[in-house]
């Protein structure tokens, strides 16, 4: 695991100095993160990197999990889809299941922090344990057009928090509590993002029998309908009529996502007859994902909804040209025609992919711009800084704060 | 190299780190934009006229403010977008006066282009108003002469340069940027102070602004 000093060659000494200055001002505070899973998905991934670094900076940071059974996670997955604006048949029984598990967690989870940082809807009801400490609710989901039944249910809890955090401006809702905009981040030194020796990349290609004789289009995402893997295959098919290329769909599954396997089956069925479509289930094989991104000619992220879309930042960090949907946090990462191409449809995605495959110099420039943008705005060090500022803001209501 | 003058008072570099606070306020057309610009907190106006400087350091030229970008890119009102983009921010000493200029520019445009009021942003392309919450804190960098100053400018964060050049002048309503003030009052080098004051920092990327400052100071050190 990297130390904070290891980031100096990437972001520079003064950035790390600023982090230390902020950490000094949080001495004596205990920060307690709470979420629902220790593995899989963006939240766990970020916490795995961030918690040790905050501790190293001297901020007493801890991480606890709630517990939940199969029914609970089926309900929270339904909530997740509904908050993303998808049709979802939410019944009173679902709310009852959610509350039954929440009550158990309220009884069992030990709350000891000065600042309690709750991630996503699963642990949201823990706010019932609020005393004189400060509580933050961090929403990682695209709630720009939420199902009102679910949002209304959750809002009863949200309004009891001291502050909330969203990943994109469009997710902001009318709330009586403060709302902060903090984008997630990638860790440039993690296995998923660090530089890889060529022999490692070659061994991954060999393992999955992938040849680089044809351009490679890749989407890295959980097998989830909101990531539109079937739309990706359709876009690839449209490109393939003109350019001989191959498609890699790489996905894992998260412990709190029971829907993943059925989506994977649908994807396999649609791709069945094409030997140039590689479907790889790589749960938690970060180095392999890294290698596959690095050998790709064009990356794609054709999500229908997206909380933030960290895979976009990962691709751009590797200076890859990318085609991505104009949803959620993606437009924060891609400025159309400067650092990637945004699309709104299967046809638009196919057209953009063709453009990039046929204009390698243009594609290269987009990738280079994208890497610089990620370096300035979406690396873990910026994220750690924002979280420390967030903790400090809980004791300041003014717009200009002298520390 | 001439003998270095030791400052009467040292210069301590500060850094300014910002956190974005969402307001929940979104607008979809020019009338709503105008109303919001008149009513939102000054920290919102500051955010939307300075965000690009920090987030898109590698893109130059960039639209210098979100209002110009949104009006052109989303509403398709290129002429108004250009007028907003070309507001000479450096000429305004306060957020209040900058706000008034932006509002007056939109009002004037609407008087001559009534149909522009009928254009609406598509769903998902509304302008969301955001506030900048600034945290100002002293760094450990303290300098006593021009050479130390130059060496620190070389290595300090972009955030620190940003604070002393942009935020000190406009948001803290000081008459000049902090660098010029110190060079003039503590080093007594009015000529160099004036040269830095005359820069229009809004036309540089932050990294190129750093390089320009270093070049100007280097030249003075060699004179």
């Amino acid at each position: 695991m990297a130390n904070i000093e290891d980031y100096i060659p990437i972001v520079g000494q003064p950035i790390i100095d600023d982090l230390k200055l902020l950490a000094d001002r949080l001495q004596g505070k205990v920060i307690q993160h709470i979420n629902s899973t220790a593995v899989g998905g963006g939240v766990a991934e970020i916490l795995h990197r961030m918690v040790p670094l905050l501790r190293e900076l001297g901020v007493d940071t801890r991480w606890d999990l709630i517990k939940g059974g199969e029914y609970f996670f089926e309900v929270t997955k339904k909530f997740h889809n509904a908050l993303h604006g998808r049709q979802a048949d939410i019944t009173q029984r679902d709310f009852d299941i959610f509350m039954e598990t929440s009550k158990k967690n309220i009884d069992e989870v030990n709350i000891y922090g000065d600042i309690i940082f709750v991630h996503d809807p699963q642990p949201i009801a823990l706010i019932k344990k609020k005393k004189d400490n400060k509580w933050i609710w961090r929403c990682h989901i695209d709630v720009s057009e939420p199902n009102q039944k679910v949002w209304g249910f959750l809002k009863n809890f949200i309004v009891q928090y001291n502050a909330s955090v969203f990943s994109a401006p469009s997710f902001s809702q009318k709330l009586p509590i403060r709302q902060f905009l903090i984008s997630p981040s990638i860790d440039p030194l993690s296995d998923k993002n660090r530089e890889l020796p060529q022999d490692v990349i070659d061994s991954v290609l060999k393992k999955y029998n992938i040849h680089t004789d044809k351009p490679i289009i890749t989407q890295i995402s959980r097998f989830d309908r909101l990531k539109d893997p079937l739309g990706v295959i359709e876009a690839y098919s449209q490109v393939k009529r003109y350019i001989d290329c191959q498609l890699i769909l790489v996905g894992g599954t998260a412990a709190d996502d029971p829907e993943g396997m059925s989506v994977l089956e649908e994807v396999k069925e649609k791709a069945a007859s094409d030997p140039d479509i590689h479907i790889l289930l790589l749960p938690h094989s970060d180095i392999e994902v890294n290698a596959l991104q690095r050998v790709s000619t064009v990356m794609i992220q054709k999500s229908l909804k997206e909380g933030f879309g960290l895979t976009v930042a990962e691709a751009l960090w590797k200076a890859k040209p990318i085609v991505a949907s104009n949803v959620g946090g993606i437009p924060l990462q891609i400025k159309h025609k400067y650092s990637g191409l945004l699309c709104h449809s299967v046809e638009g995605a196919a057209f953009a992919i063709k453009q990039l495959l046929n204009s390698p110099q243009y594609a290269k420039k987009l990738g280079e711009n994208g890497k610089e943008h990620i370096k300035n705005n979406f690396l873990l060090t910026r994220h750690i800084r924002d979280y420390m500022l967030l903790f400090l803001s809980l004791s300041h209501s003014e717009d200009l704060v002298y520390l | 190299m001439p003998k270095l003058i030791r400052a009467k008072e040292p210069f301590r570099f500060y850094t300014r780190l910002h956190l974005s606070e969402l307001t929940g306020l979104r607008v979809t057309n020019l009338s709503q934009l105008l109303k919001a610009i008149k009513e939102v907190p000054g920290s919102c106006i500051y955010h939307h006229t300075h965000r690009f400087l920090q987030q898109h350091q590698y893109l130059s030229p960039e639209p210098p403010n979100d209002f110009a970008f949104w009006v052109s890119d989303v509403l398709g009102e290129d002429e108004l977008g250009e007028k907003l983009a070309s507001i000479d921010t450096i000429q305004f000493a306060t957020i209040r006066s900058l706000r008034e200029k932006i509002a007056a520019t939109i009002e004037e445009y609407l008087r001559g282009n009534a149909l522009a009021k009928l254009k609406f942003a598509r769903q998902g392309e509304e302008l969301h108003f955001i506030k900048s919450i600034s945290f100002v804190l002293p760094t450990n960098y303290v300098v006593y002469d021009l050479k130390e100053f130059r060496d620190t400018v070389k290595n300090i964060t972009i955030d620190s340069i940003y604070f002393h050049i942009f935020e000190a002048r406009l948001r803290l309503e000081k008459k000049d940027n902090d660098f010029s003030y110190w060079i003039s009052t503590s080093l007594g080098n009015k000529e160099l102070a004036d040269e830095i004051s005359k820069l229009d920092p809004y036309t540089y990327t932050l990294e190129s602004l750093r390089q320009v400052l270093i070049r100007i100071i280097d030249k003075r050190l060699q004179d």
Side-chain angles (χ1 to χ4, degrees):
Chain A
M1 191 71 87
N3 296 316
I4 196 72
E5 305 289 328
D6 296 333
Y7 292 84
I8 292 171
I10 298 170
V11 299
Q13 178 74 50
I15 295 280
I16 305 301
D17 290 346
D18 279 358
L19 295 183
K20 290 175 181 170
L21 289 172
L22 289 175
D24 284 348
R25 284 156 172 84
L26 287 165
Q27 288 301 309
K29 300 275 187 209
V30 175
I31 316 293
Q32 183 180 8
H33 289 272
I34 303 175
N35 80 321
S36 63
T37 174
V39 287
V43 179
E45 196 172 314
I46 288 171
L47 288 176
H48 269 298
R49 313 295 299 184
M50 186 177 278
V51 169
L53 290 172
L54 278 166
R55 282 188 188 170
E56 191 191 338
L57 285 162
V59 181
D60 189 347
T61 309
R62 312 191 200 170
W63 178 10
D64 291 282
L65 300 171
I66 57 159
K67 287 181 187 156
E70 189 183 342
Y71 292 135
F72 176 73
F73 285 125
E74 275 176 14
V75 168
T76 58
K77 180 68 184 177
K78 279 168 88 172
F79 281 10
H80 183 93
N81 287 339
L83 289 170
H84 271 298
R86 271 185 58 189
Q87 279 291 343
D89 183 21
I90 308 284
T91 63
Q92 184 55 45
R93 175 78 186 128
D94 294 324
F95 292 127
D96 292 343
I97 290 170
F98 182 85
M99 286 315 299
E100 277 165 27
T101 303
S102 293
K103 281 194 182 98
K104 278 186 202 155
N105 281 311
I106 289 168
D107 289 341
E108 290 171 14
V109 175
N110 181 23
I111 299 293
Y112 49 80
D114 298 297
I115 295 170
I116 318 298
F117 202 152
V118 172
H119 297 264
D120 279 342
Q122 298 94 333
I124 199 168
L126 289 177
I127 189 67
K128 297 284 177 202
K129 298 190 90 165
K130 185 180 181 189
K131 288 185 178 153
D132 55 356
N133 39 18
K134 303 279 189 188
W135 287 66
I136 301 165
W137 184 60
R138 200 324 173 194
C139 179
H140 295 269
I141 302 169
D142 177 347
V143 287
S144 49
E145 299 161 60
N147 172 306
Q148 288 302 319
K149 195 172 175 183
V150 175
W151 179 254
F153 174 75
L154 296 177
K155 196 174 167 186
N156 293 327
F157 300 107
I158 297 167
V159 296
Q160 298 175 56
Y161 282 76
N162 295 92
S164 55
V165 181
F166 296 92
S167 298
S170 57
F171 303 169
S172 171
Q173 300 285 330
K174 289 273 182 208
L175 288 171
I177 60 169
R178 294 180 86 183
Q179 305 176 58
F180 293 97
L181 171 64
I182 298 181
S183 303
S185 62
I186 59 163
D187 182 350
L189 297 177
S190 67
D191 283 345
K192 207 183 254 186
N193 295 304
R194 66 181 167 85
E195 293 288 335
L196 289 181
Q198 190 57 43
D199 60 326
V200 173
I201 295 173
D202 291 343
S203 68
V204 173
L205 289 174
K206 192 172 173 195
K207 179 176 174 185
Y208 294 106
N209 196 27
I210 293 168
H211 301 280
T212 52
D213 53 345
K214 296 177 188 175
I216 299 173
I217 303 162
T218 304
Q219 172 158 301
I220 313 264
S221 267
R222 281 202 318 233
F223 290 102
D224 182 325
R225 288 193 181 85
L226 292 175
K227 311 294 183 188
D228 199 17
L230 300 178
V232 173
I233 294 176
E234 180 56 34
Y236 153 80
S237 302
Q238 292 184 17
V239 175
K240 181 93 170 169
R241 285 182 214 148
Y242 302 94
I243 302 169
D244 190 15
C245 56
Q246 49 191 328
L247 174 67
I248 306 180
L249 287 170
V250 185
T253 53
D256 57 355
D257 177 16
E259 200 181 44
M261 294 316 287
S262 64
V263 177
L264 176 61
E265 287 312 311
E266 288 171 32
V267 170
K268 280 182 175 167
E269 193 181 321
K270 188 167 173 78
S273 58
D274 188 337
D276 280 331
I277 299 181
H278 307 267
I279 298 164
L280 309 178
L281 189 60
L282 304 180
H284 322 309
S285 305
D286 287 350
I287 290 179
E288 294 184 349
V289 168
N290 185 345
L292 292 168
Q293 285 170 325
R294 287 181 190 279
V295 297
S296 297
T297 320
V298 172
M299 296 295 300
I300 182 163
Q301 188 62 52
K302 220 211 119 329
S303 306
L304 303 174
K305 286 279 180 178
E306 194 57 79
F308 187 75
L310 278 177
T311 49
V312 170
E314 288 165 13
L316 290 177
W317 178 245
K318 296 163 185 103
K320 289 293 164 185
I322 186 162
V323 174
S325 302
N326 189 13
V327 296
I330 291 175
L332 296 177
Q333 302 172 73
I334 296 178
K335 188 161 162 47
H336 186 51
K337 295 182 182 174
Y338 282 99
S339 49
L341 297 178
L342 294 172
C343 63
H344 299 84
S345 62
V346 167
E347 293 74 18
F351 180 71
I353 293 167
K354 281 188 284 183
Q355 271 189 307
L356 294 178
L357 292 179
N358 285 333
S359 309
Q361 285 307 317
Y362 178 48
K364 184 168 180 279
K365 188 64 192 164
L366 294 185
E368 286 168 356
N369 281 347
K371 179 166 188 174
E372 197 61 24
H373 187 49
I374 298 304
K375 182 183 165 190
N376 289 331
N377 298 292
F378 297 108
L379 293 188
L380 183 61
T381 42
R382 190 276 310 153
H383 200 177
I384 290 174
R385 184 197 70 194
D386 281 359
Y387 273 1
M388 287 197 285
L389 291 174
L390 172 68
F391 304 150
L392 290 164
S393 76
L394 295 173
S395 330
H396 297 273
S397 58
E398 61 272 32
D399 293 347
L400 196 55
V401 181
Y402 287 91
L403 293 172
Chain B
M1 189 184 284
K3 191 169 178 294
L4 284 169
I5 295 168
R6 191 172 167 82
K8 287 183 233 164
E9 294 290 335
F11 186 86
R12 178 180 286 277
F13 284 83
Y14 279 68
T15 192
R16 158 278 194 200
L17 304 170
H18 89 255
L19 189 60
S20 297
E21 184 170 344
L22 298 159
T23 63
L25 175 65
R26 60 181 80 177
V27 298
T28 59
N29 64 20
L30 283 177
S31 301
Q32 291 174 1
L33 175 67
L34 179 60
K35 183 169 182 285
I37 283 174
K38 289 179 175 176
E39 293 173 358
V40 292
S43 47
C44 275
I45 301 292
Y46 185 78
H47 177 92
H48 290 291
T49 50
H50 289 74
R51 181 185 70 88
F52 263 97
L53 285 167
Q54 289 216 292
Q55 287 192 350
H56 295 273
Q57 292 160 26
Y58 65 102
L59 293 177
S60 183
E62 258 296 323
N65 66 65
D66 287 342
F67 305 129
F69 183 75
W70 186 75
V71 162
S72 304
D73 210 54
V74 174
L75 297 185
E77 293 292 339
D78 290 347
E79 189 186 333
L80 177 58
E82 186 179 291
K83 284 177 196 286
L84 291 171
S86 51
I87 288 175
D88 195 2
T89 314
I90 192 78
Q91 298 298 326
F92 297 90
T94 62
I95 292 287
R96 191 186 63 256
S97 57
L98 178 60
R99 180 208 299 269
E100 285 166 0
K101 175 65 181 173
I102 295 168
T105 304
I106 299 172
E107 272 172 332
E108 190 189 328
Y109 183 78
L110 284 177
R111 272 197 294 275
N113 298 274
L115 288 177
K117 282 185 185 170
L118 302 177
K119 286 194 181 169
F120 285 80
R122 291 191 318 165
Q123 192 175 15
E125 296 191 336
E126 306 91 344
L127 179 70
H128 297 265
F129 276 83
I130 297 171
K131 287 202 295 186
S132 269
I133 310 297
S134 292
F135 296 80
V136 179
L137 62 169
T139 70
N140 295 323
Y141 297 95
V142 181
V143 299
Y144 285 87
D145 62 40
L146 201 52
K147 185 172 175 305
E148 288 176 0
F149 181 78
R150 188 267 322 264
D151 291 346
T152 308
V153 167
K154 262 186 184 169
N155 295 312
I156 198 84
T157 56
I158 286 290
D159 297 298
S160 181
I161 293 177
Y162 182 92
F163 171 75
H164 291 295
I165 294 276
F166 293 92
E167 192 136 4
R169 201 187 61 79
L170 189 61
R171 205 168 185 196
L172 275 57
E173 301 193 7
K174 295 179 183 178
K175 286 197 168 42
D176 206 346
N177 71 76
D178 285 343
F179 294 161
S180 291
Y181 182 78
W182 178 72
I183 290 168
S184 171
T185 58
S186 284
L187 292 180
N189 192 337
K190 187 144 185 350
E191 223 173 289
L192 174 58
D194 285 347
E195 195 172 353
I196 294 173
S197 296
K198 277 183 191 158
L199 291 173
D200 179 356
Y202 291 94
T203 54
Y204 296 92
T205 63
L206 286 175
E207 201 48 60
S208 62
L209 181 60
R210 184 206 301 270
Q211 298 309 323
V212 168
L213 287 170
I214 292 166
R215 203 161 57 234
I216 292 173
I217 298 165
D218 269 344
K219 190 164 165 286
R220 296 285 167 176
L221 283 169
Q222 284 158 12
D223 284 346

